[in-house]
Amino acid sequence: MSTLTPARARRTPPRSRRVLAAVAGALALLAVTACSGDDERPRERGPGVESRPAEDSYPGLSEELAGQRLRWGPCEAPTPLQGEGTAPGEEWQCSTLTVPLDWDQPDGGTIDLALIRSRTTASAEDRVGSLVFNFGGPGGSGVLSLPQFGTEYQELREGGFDLVSFDPRGVGDSAPVTCLDDATTDAEAQEPGGPPENAAEEREFTRENEEYYAACEANAGELLPHVTTANTARDMDLLRHALGDDRLHYFGISYGTQLGGVYAHLFPERVGRTVLDAVVDPTPDRLAQTRLDLEGFQLALDHYLQHCVEFERQDCPIGSDAEAGNGLLADLVEQLEETPAPTSDPNGRRLTADLAMTGIIASLYSEESWEYLTQGLQELFWTSTGDTLLLLADFYNGRDAQGRYSNQNAALTAIRCADDPSGMSIAELREYREEFMETSPLFGEWMVWGLSGCEGWPVPADQTERPRYAAEDAAEPILLVANTGDPATPYAGAGRMQEAMGGPEVAPLLTYHGEGHSAYTTGDTCVVNTVNAHLLEGTVPQDGHTCGE
């Protein structure tokens, strides 16, 4: 069996009775920060990299912030809020960037953002600039993610890019949003789960959401209105400025595509070579979004079930009927609502229905993870134990071996609600339960509760900022990359993002016919070569180009 590797990025998973309040999701990728060292700025400049542009201006921003120089030094091991991991190797350097807490009042309070980079191995003449990454979530620490996935981008580093990433505001080691402590999170994950089934459970659902939101407000109150994607895009432009690049070269995955789209809207003249892989749907309609998510995960599950019966054969725990597998899994999760499965966890934790659903979701992000789903289902069906799905759920939820949680779920909730505080009442979402169940016997009853959105979030709507994507004046074309089998950011969303940004001339679309979340890291030669040519050479593929057929 291959080694379990991090999922690329994720959006919101199905909501259970309790973790619905936490909006469980985002990914556990994480790493490090805090550094000291010589005051340093790249002095060698090749084609496409100019000195700090004179036209940059930040009205109201102090000279101290606008002119700050990044101090790079050795990276430490990740903090618990960033996630589990070790200090990266010597080729990695860390720093911090200071940004305004409130970009509408840039002379007010500030926060520090954790940064990481690996310098290009190319000559000074061949250096292109910095390539900034966001790996998704929202809530994933880029400071840990980039070293973890660094080998996959080695050709870009060798070709002329300094690889750079950061913990966005509210995430990891960048003014992190926190809500519940580790012990409470563990305890609530062990409570009986499943979607509310009667009025009493609906009231309990509402009460727990209110308590969770109150805890977020108590622990991170003044930060909550300011963790919008738009503010992170503004932070990213100041990062570009501090790195010394005239334009932002950017690689965004999953939620990182949303961030990249917002950046292109706010700073079209500063758009450099940009790739948005696993493109999110920009539709502001929560019902449409949740329907798309449901269809995406059901499609991925159908593909897994068909693979299981065709290739696993006698080892496939659902038998030989892929279609019947949907009902078998739904029945299995329903049984776990009443009787959680035992595990070998040293603290006696059991696999609840909530955790089983999270583990199943986690395994669908990559075709390489299907074997873990098979193993987990074999354990449940054949031995009534839940070790593998618990491991997958812990990984997805950012829980390490010591029982410490990253802040990815709290950050996901805060960022999502800062971007869009809307949500349906319980009475409204009930209307869609039957429709969702018909679409997916396993996911439907759970995901309909995602329609409650941010109902009751303590930040008023007039203090939030919804993302916008129109970027007709972008200085360079923005390459969109979409996977037809993507469960978390279904393929249809890429077409809508293309339209929102201004059409194929602004944002040509590269289609990959495959499985899993994102396309570049599948290793498909066609995808990798097309993306690398765009980033390293400025070669823009024709809209409609396809790979993997």
Short mmCIF file of all heavy atoms in Angstrom, two decimals, residues 34-43 68-74 93-96 117 119 242:
data_model
loop_
_atom_site.label_atom_id
_atom_site.label_comp_id
_atom_site.label_asym_id
_atom_site.label_seq_id
_atom_site.Cartn_x
_atom_site.Cartn_y
_atom_site.Cartn_z
N ALA A 34 8.18 32.41 11.29
CA ALA A 34 8.98 33.10 12.25
C ALA A 34 10.42 32.98 11.93
O ALA A 34 10.96 31.92 12.01
CB ALA A 34 8.73 32.55 13.61
N CYS A 35 11.01 33.96 11.50
CA CYS A 35 12.40 33.83 11.15
C CYS A 35 13.14 35.13 11.36
O CYS A 35 12.57 36.18 11.46
CB CYS A 35 12.50 33.45 9.70
SG CYS A 35 11.52 32.02 9.31
N SER A 36 14.42 34.99 11.39
CA SER A 36 15.28 36.16 11.45
C SER A 36 16.38 35.95 10.47
O SER A 36 16.61 34.86 9.98
CB SER A 36 15.84 36.34 12.85
OG SER A 36 16.62 35.22 13.20
N GLY A 37 17.11 37.00 10.17
CA GLY A 37 18.20 36.86 9.23
C GLY A 37 18.56 38.19 8.65
O GLY A 37 18.10 39.23 9.09
N ASP A 38 19.41 38.15 7.64
CA ASP A 38 19.87 39.39 7.03
C ASP A 38 18.73 40.07 6.29
O ASP A 38 17.85 39.42 5.72
CB ASP A 38 20.99 39.11 6.04
CG ASP A 38 22.22 38.58 6.74
OD1 ASP A 38 22.37 38.86 7.94
OD2 ASP A 38 23.01 37.87 6.08
N ASP A 39 18.76 41.39 6.30
CA ASP A 39 17.82 42.16 5.51
C ASP A 39 18.15 41.89 4.05
O ASP A 39 19.22 42.24 3.59
CB ASP A 39 17.98 43.64 5.85
CG ASP A 39 16.93 44.48 5.18
OD1 ASP A 39 16.30 44.02 4.24
OD2 ASP A 39 16.77 45.61 5.63
N GLU A 40 17.21 41.26 3.34
CA GLU A 40 17.56 40.75 2.02
C GLU A 40 16.45 40.97 1.03
O GLU A 40 15.29 40.81 1.32
CB GLU A 40 17.85 39.25 2.14
CG GLU A 40 18.29 38.62 0.84
CD GLU A 40 18.51 37.13 1.03
OE1 GLU A 40 18.21 36.63 2.12
OE2 GLU A 40 18.94 36.47 0.08
N ARG A 41 16.82 41.36 -0.16
CA ARG A 41 15.91 41.45 -1.29
C ARG A 41 16.67 40.92 -2.49
O ARG A 41 17.86 41.16 -2.63
CB ARG A 41 15.52 42.91 -1.51
CG ARG A 41 14.72 43.15 -2.78
CD ARG A 41 14.36 44.61 -2.91
NE ARG A 41 13.61 45.03 -1.74
CZ ARG A 41 12.32 44.80 -1.57
NH1 ARG A 41 11.66 44.13 -2.48
NH2 ARG A 41 11.71 45.22 -0.49
N PRO A 42 16.00 40.17 -3.37
CA PRO A 42 16.70 39.66 -4.53
C PRO A 42 17.38 40.78 -5.31
O PRO A 42 16.74 41.75 -5.70
CB PRO A 42 15.59 39.00 -5.36
CG PRO A 42 14.52 38.68 -4.38
CD PRO A 42 14.60 39.77 -3.35
N ARG A 43 18.66 40.67 -5.50
CA ARG A 43 19.40 41.71 -6.23
C ARG A 43 19.62 41.33 -7.68
O ARG A 43 19.83 42.17 -8.52
CB ARG A 43 20.73 41.97 -5.54
CG ARG A 43 20.55 42.59 -4.16
CD ARG A 43 21.91 42.85 -3.49
NE ARG A 43 21.75 43.56 -2.23
CZ ARG A 43 21.43 42.98 -1.09
NH1 ARG A 43 21.23 41.68 -1.05
NH2 ARG A 43 21.29 43.69 0.02
N GLN A 68 8.53 48.10 3.79
CA GLN A 68 9.19 47.07 4.60
C GLN A 68 9.98 46.09 3.74
O GLN A 68 9.62 45.78 2.61
CB GLN A 68 8.15 46.30 5.42
CG GLN A 68 7.15 45.52 4.63
CD GLN A 68 6.07 44.90 5.50
OE1 GLN A 68 6.35 44.03 6.33
NE2 GLN A 68 4.84 45.36 5.32
N ARG A 69 11.07 45.63 4.30
CA ARG A 69 11.92 44.64 3.65
C ARG A 69 11.79 43.32 4.39
O ARG A 69 11.77 43.29 5.62
CB ARG A 69 13.38 45.10 3.62
CG ARG A 69 13.61 46.31 2.73
CD ARG A 69 15.06 46.75 2.75
NE ARG A 69 15.28 47.86 1.83
CZ ARG A 69 15.58 47.74 0.55
NH1 ARG A 69 15.67 46.52 0.03
NH2 ARG A 69 15.78 48.78 -0.21
N LEU A 70 11.67 42.26 3.63
CA LEU A 70 11.49 40.94 4.22
C LEU A 70 12.82 40.41 4.74
O LEU A 70 13.83 40.45 4.04
CB LEU A 70 10.90 39.98 3.18
CG LEU A 70 9.56 40.41 2.59
CD1 LEU A 70 9.13 39.42 1.51
CD2 LEU A 70 8.50 40.51 3.68
N ARG A 71 12.79 39.90 5.96
CA ARG A 71 13.98 39.35 6.58
C ARG A 71 13.84 37.82 6.59
O ARG A 71 13.05 37.27 7.36
CB ARG A 71 14.16 39.90 7.99
CG ARG A 71 14.30 41.42 8.03
CD ARG A 71 14.36 41.95 9.45
NE ARG A 71 15.53 41.44 10.16
CZ ARG A 71 16.73 42.00 10.12
NH1 ARG A 71 16.93 43.09 9.38
NH2 ARG A 71 17.74 41.49 10.81
N TRP A 72 14.60 37.16 5.74
CA TRP A 72 14.49 35.72 5.56
C TRP A 72 15.51 35.00 6.43
O TRP A 72 16.64 35.46 6.59
CB TRP A 72 14.70 35.34 4.10
CG TRP A 72 13.68 35.90 3.17
CD1 TRP A 72 13.78 37.03 2.42
CD2 TRP A 72 12.39 35.35 2.89
NE1 TRP A 72 12.63 37.24 1.69
CE2 TRP A 72 11.76 36.21 1.95
CE3 TRP A 72 11.71 34.22 3.34
CZ2 TRP A 72 10.49 35.96 1.46
CZ3 TRP A 72 10.44 33.97 2.84
CH2 TRP A 72 9.83 34.83 1.92
N GLY A 73 15.11 33.87 6.97
CA GLY A 73 16.01 33.08 7.79
C GLY A 73 15.52 31.64 7.89
O GLY A 73 14.53 31.26 7.25
N PRO A 74 16.17 30.81 8.68
CA PRO A 74 15.79 29.40 8.79
C PRO A 74 14.36 29.23 9.30
O PRO A 74 13.87 30.03 10.09
CB PRO A 74 16.81 28.84 9.79
CG PRO A 74 17.95 29.80 9.76
CD PRO A 74 17.36 31.14 9.48
N GLN A 93 13.39 29.04 3.38
CA GLN A 93 13.58 30.19 4.26
C GLN A 93 12.22 30.74 4.66
O GLN A 93 11.25 30.66 3.90
CB GLN A 93 14.37 31.30 3.55
CG GLN A 93 15.76 30.88 3.11
CD GLN A 93 16.42 31.99 2.29
OE1 GLN A 93 15.81 32.58 1.39
NE2 GLN A 93 17.67 32.28 2.60
N CYS A 94 12.15 31.31 5.86
CA CYS A 94 10.89 31.86 6.35
C CYS A 94 11.03 33.34 6.72
O CYS A 94 12.13 33.84 6.96
CB CYS A 94 10.41 31.07 7.56
SG CYS A 94 9.73 29.45 7.11
N SER A 95 9.90 34.02 6.75
CA SER A 95 9.88 35.44 7.09
C SER A 95 8.47 35.81 7.52
O SER A 95 7.58 34.95 7.60
CB SER A 95 10.33 36.29 5.90
OG SER A 95 10.46 37.65 6.24
N THR A 96 8.25 37.08 7.80
CA THR A 96 6.91 37.59 8.08
C THR A 96 6.70 38.90 7.32
O THR A 96 7.65 39.65 7.04
CB THR A 96 6.70 37.87 9.59
OG1 THR A 96 7.68 38.79 10.04
CG2 THR A 96 6.80 36.59 10.40
N ARG A 117 9.74 30.50 1.46
CA ARG A 117 10.18 30.50 0.07
C ARG A 117 11.33 29.53 -0.13
O ARG A 117 12.03 29.14 0.81
CB ARG A 117 10.62 31.89 -0.39
CG ARG A 117 12.01 32.29 0.13
CD ARG A 117 12.52 33.55 -0.53
NE ARG A 117 13.84 33.91 0.00
CZ ARG A 117 14.51 35.01 -0.32
NH1 ARG A 117 13.96 35.88 -1.15
NH2 ARG A 117 15.70 35.26 0.20
N ARG A 119 14.51 29.63 -3.02
CA ARG A 119 15.06 30.42 -4.12
C ARG A 119 15.25 29.56 -5.36
O ARG A 119 15.55 28.36 -5.29
CB ARG A 119 16.42 31.01 -3.72
CG ARG A 119 16.41 31.87 -2.46
CD ARG A 119 15.64 33.17 -2.66
NE ARG A 119 16.20 34.02 -3.68
CZ ARG A 119 17.17 34.92 -3.48
NH1 ARG A 119 17.71 35.06 -2.27
NH2 ARG A 119 17.62 35.66 -4.47
N ALA A 242 6.60 43.72 -1.71
CA ALA A 242 7.76 43.47 -0.85
C ALA A 242 8.75 42.50 -1.48
O ALA A 242 9.96 42.58 -1.22
CB ALA A 242 7.28 42.91 0.50
#
